[in-house]
Structure formats: structure tokens, C-alpha cells
Amino acid sequence: MTAHPMRYPSYIELSKSALEGNIQFLKKMYGETVRISSVVKANAYGHGISEFVPLAEACGIDHFSVFSMDEALHVKKFLKNHADIMVMGWTHPDDLEWAIENGIELYIYEYEMLTRAILCAEKTGKKAIIHLEIETGMNRTGLTGEELKAVRKLIRLNSEFVHVRGLCTHFAGAESISNFVRIQSQIRHFNRTRKWLSKNGIMPDLIHTACSAASVAYPQTRYDMVRVGILQYGFWPSPETFIQFMHGKGVKDDPLNRVISWKSNIMSVKDVNEGEFVSYGNTYLAKSDIKIAVIPTGYSHGYSRSLSNQGRVLIHGQRVGVVGLVNMNMLITDVTGIHGVKIGDEVVFIGRQNENEITVGSFVEFSDQMNYELLARLPQNIPRFVVD
Ligand SMILES: *Cc1c(COP(=O)(O)O)cnc(C)c1O
């Protein structure tokens, strides 16, 4: 993409130095023996797989996790080196053959999946590289005790077709202390299963259970690898996790840096007289003469309609409010009193401008989305640009 960012209704910037800082911070926290799998599902949490994956590789990442095979394909296409790709979620049976052929690592959470994977491995002449996902109490996907027994048998009988790369599980809400007891029980369950498997001749290369929150709140869950999503992008999974990390460390500043900024520019500026309504309907009445700036970004571009009369954006380094309803393609801001506002001026939805910053967190308060959701829903067609 060579066109200038300002020629799009809005655009996203990814900060290379922010990501480098975050990865360095994580490596230091986990230590050298723990591998980092960079979780890039949901288009790299809205950051854009095509741009984010090469950046992460440049920071030394050599393992990526996605949810589904279409994402694995997307990552593979943009890899510069030979990082591993792991599908932590859904694989359509018809995609197994391609996955095995291409060395994509697969979560196995159903007996049937394994039988099919073995058939594909026989056919392609390549081993299926699998991670056994254990059901430990989240009650989502994962092999239960009985299934695991059957799976173990199948693996022993087909060892020339299967390589057990990993053993894993997922915790049901490690970002909240209110789930403490449940997580502890999951950890115990996982360790029992791990021991039983090893006693029964299955020794996976990589034990991995932790997402971002668990990697901070329950360091014993790091094992050989951590699956890190939100932290690498510079966000804490929850305020609690942040406090847990900071507690007793004597540091006050957030060690993470936000990688993403989301920006646009002004398309029109005009005066509105006292007593006039702004935008559709009558949700905003000008109580005095005001000046408005119109921005070519609306809910179809990912700026939630629930931010109508609520959202804040940065213009000329100042925080200004969204007035009236957010439209499909436009939103309107009140720029009264800001000198010299004109067409083409930069608008920041997320990120910094001069001394001020709009955080994802502040959006979250107004729009009832968690930071994960807001990021993941940033539309795929917003162009992404890498900056230093
Ligand atoms: C999304 C996901 C992760 C990463 O979660 P973060 O909280 O973003 O670190 C890890 N493991 C699994 C199975 C996931 O689905």
C-alpha cells in the first residue's frame, strides 16, 4: 500500500518501538526458558495480521497462535522467517490435510479430529503436529478423562503419523481474582493429567497453559511456553492484573506501550447557531453558537454508535466531544474555541496527540465493550501503517 494514510476515512498506525519494548519487557519477566507464542487471532487483535506478524518476527517471535485455519493461512502468507503456527481452535475436517502438509500445529480437542488427522498424515506422508487440549474445568473445548484415554491409545498405535508437540489447557478467567478457586482447581487437574500422560508414555515437547493474565497472576502456569495476546499489544487484561503486577515492585509507570493508534482527518468545518440540532434527529441541541468539525468515520468504520454524544477525540492536541448521533460514515465533533481548525487536520480516536492521549480504556467505559472486543472489532479494511 503506497497511498498516503490521510486518503482513507481512517487509518491505523502500529508503533514498532512500542512492540519492541513490550516484547523485551515480557522476555525479561518470563525468563529465557519460557517461549512466547504471539497470539494473533482476530486479525492480531485488530492490529492487522499482515503488518503485525512481520513486526513481531523482527522482535524475535518464532511462534504464532491463531483461532482458525483461515487465520493460519493469513499468517503463513506474511511470515518472513520460519515461525511455527498453531491453531488453538476450530479446524474444519476438510482443512486437516492442508494443515498437515504445511506443518501447521493443531489443537486436538475431539477424538474424531485425531482419527482424521492420522488418515491425512498417512496420505500426505507427513506427521500431524498436535497439541492435546485438556478439559480442566472451563467446559469449553478440550479432551475429558475418558476421551484422553482413547486418544492416548490411538497415538500409541499411530506414532509414525503423530507428533505430540504440546499439552495445553485454558483458564476460565485468570484476569479476575474472583475466579481464583476455579483456576487453582484447573491447575491441579492439569498437573494430574500431565503426570498420568507421562506415566503412560506420552511426553509432549511443550507444556503451555497461560494466557496473558495467567502468565502474570499465576507464574507457575508458564511451563515451557506462554500464549500471549493482549499484553504484547500493550494492554493489561484487566486493571486487577495490572495491580497484581505492580504490587510490591516499587514501580509506578506502566511498563507497557500501546502499539496501536487510530486516526482520521477533518472533512468539513462549519458554524451552527444556538437552538439548532446537530446530526440526525434531536439528540443534540446547540445551547449556544458552536463550531463543528465533521470526520469521515462512522459505525461502519468501527466507531461505535453507542459513542454518540459520548465519545472524545483529539484535535489540535485537545480533547473534544462527539455531538449528535454517530452516522454510518461520519461523526461530528464540537470544536468551539479551538483556534484555526481546518479541513485536513489530524483527528485521533485512539492514541496520542501532543500531550494528550485517548486510551482504549476510555472508550470501553463509554461503549460497554471490553478492550479485547473493541480491538478485535476494528474493521479489517482500515489500512494499517507501521511507524517507528
Ligand atoms: C485468546 C487466547 C489466548 C490469549 O489471551 P490473552 O488474554 O489475550 O493473552 C491464549 N490462549 C487461548 C486458548 C486463547 O484463546
Side-chain angles (χ1 to χ4, degrees), residues 239-259:
E240 268 173 67
T241 311
F242 179 49
I243 292 165
Q244 265 171 313
F245 171 77
M246 300 301 263
H247 186 70
K249 289 216 169 45
V251 265
K252 289 205 186 66
D253 290 332
D254 187 346
L256 297 174
N257 307 293
R258 261 58 70 196
V259 174

Side-chain angles (χ1 to χ4, degrees), residues 39 41 45 88 107 140 170 211-212 227-230 372:
V39 179
K41 64 194 181 193
Y45 291 42
M88 305 183 293
Y107 264 38
R140 194 172 65 176
H170 190 55
C211 57
S212 294
R227 304 183 304 261
V228 178
I230 201 93
Y372 288 86

Side-chain angles (χ1 to χ4, degrees), residues 28-40:
K28 203 166 148 217
M29 173 166 63
Y30 300 140
E32 283 184 359
T33 56
V34 179
R35 193 173 176 191
I36 296 176
S37 179
S38 165
V39 179
V40 292

Side-chain angles (χ1 to χ4, degrees), residues 30 37-41 45 65-67 86 88-89 107 133 140-141 168-171 175 208-215 226-233 235-237 372:
Y30 300 140
S37 179
S38 165
V39 179
V40 292
K41 64 194 181 193
Y45 291 42
S65 293
V66 294
F67 173 72
M86 176 172 83
M88 305 183 293
Y107 264 38
E133 189 193 7
R140 194 172 65 176
T141 49
C168 51
T169 194
H170 190 55
F171 299 116
E175 72 285 349
H208 56 98
T209 64
C211 57
S212 294
S215 78
V226 287
R227 304 183 304 261
V228 178
I230 201 93
L231 280 177
Q232 63 178 333
Y233 304 108
F235 300 95
W236 292 90
Y372 288 86

Side-chain angles (χ1 to χ4, degrees), residues 35-39 60-65 83-86 105 131 165 206 208 225:
R35 193 173 176 191
I36 296 176
S37 179
S38 165
V39 179
I61 294 292
D62 63 358
H63 196 280
F64 290 97
S65 293
D84 297 326
I85 305 173
M86 176 172 83
E105 304 179 6
H131 294 252
R165 175 60 52 81
L206 293 171
H208 56 98
M225 184 167 84

